[in-house]
Each structure stands twice: as structure tokens, then as C-alpha cells.
Amino acid sequence: MSEKPTLLDPVPRTATVRAAALAAALVTVAAGLGVRATAGGDVAGGDVAKYAGDALYTVLIHTLVVFLAPRVRPLTAAGAALAFSWAVELAQLTGVPADLARHSTVARLVLGSTFNAPDLLRYAAGAALAWAAHRGLRSWSARARA
């Protein structure tokens, strides 16, 4: 017969990683909304908000990959996030996301509407940022457990 877990038992690592990924996703969304709210008004600020938004989009996808697969390696998660971001951007060449965006705010936020080649580089910057943060946190966590 197995014993019931108690409050003093250690939290499984996957639960901790998922909680951290969820917190990171919320912080990423807040950062995106904050950048958009503070820089979205003027032309130069609008560009900054868009560039940051593109990078943060990929960071958010990275956090969701980690949430779904808590044991994923940083490079694998970053690669998956980048591939997804690029796939969404390239799908905009078909016109399907633009059509969906006309009918749904959620589709507009997730899929965008217009292809823009420089966005591909901004997604790569977001993937690099997410990879570095994920790698750093894993290293720090490993040292803390040792």
C-alpha cells in the first residue's frame, strides 16, 4: 500500500517547471501589453512595440512548449518556438490568416495578417532570448539542487 503525499513532501520537478513556465508566460504577455501600451502611440514607438512584440511572441511560444514538455532542453524548446513562429509568418503568404483575422480578434493576435520578412529575424531574436533565459535557469536550478 502506498502512502499519501503530505505537505512536507518535495514538489515534483515537473510541477515546479510547469509553474515557472506558466509564470513566465504571464510575465511575457504582461511585457508585450506593457510595451504596446507605452510605445504604441508614436511612429518610432510603434515600431519598437512591433519589434518587441514579435520577439515576445516567440518567447511566449517557448514558455508554452516548456509548460507542455517540462523536461524539454532549452535548444529544443527554442527551435520549436522558432519553427512555429516562422510557420505562422509564412502562412500569412497564403492569405488565410488575414481572412481569419477579419472575423476573429484571437485569430488576428495569434496568426497575424500580413507577411513581413523582417519579422523572421525578430522571431529568431526572441528564440535566442528564450533559449538563453531557459538555459540560465536550468543551470541555476541544477546548482541549487547540488
Side-chain angles (χ1 to χ4, degrees), residues 96-118:
V96 172
D99 189 43
L100 293 171
R102 282 191 284 279
H103 303 295
S104 168
T105 302
V106 173
R108 183 174 48 81
L109 292 171
V110 173
L111 301 176
S113 60
T114 308
F115 175 78
N116 187 18

Side-chain angles (χ1 to χ4, degrees), residues 34-88:
V35 167
R36 191 167 180 88
T38 58
D42 60 82
V43 175
D47 287 343
V48 169
K50 172 144 178 43
Y51 302 156
D54 290 342
L56 289 170
Y57 179 86
T58 303
V59 171
L60 177 62
I61 300 303
H62 183 105
T63 65
L64 296 176
V65 167
V66 174
F67 180 81
L68 293 172
R71 296 185 190 278
V72 68
R73 293 181 180 195
L75 187 60
T76 303
L82 182 59
F84 180 86
S85 299
W86 280 356
V88 168

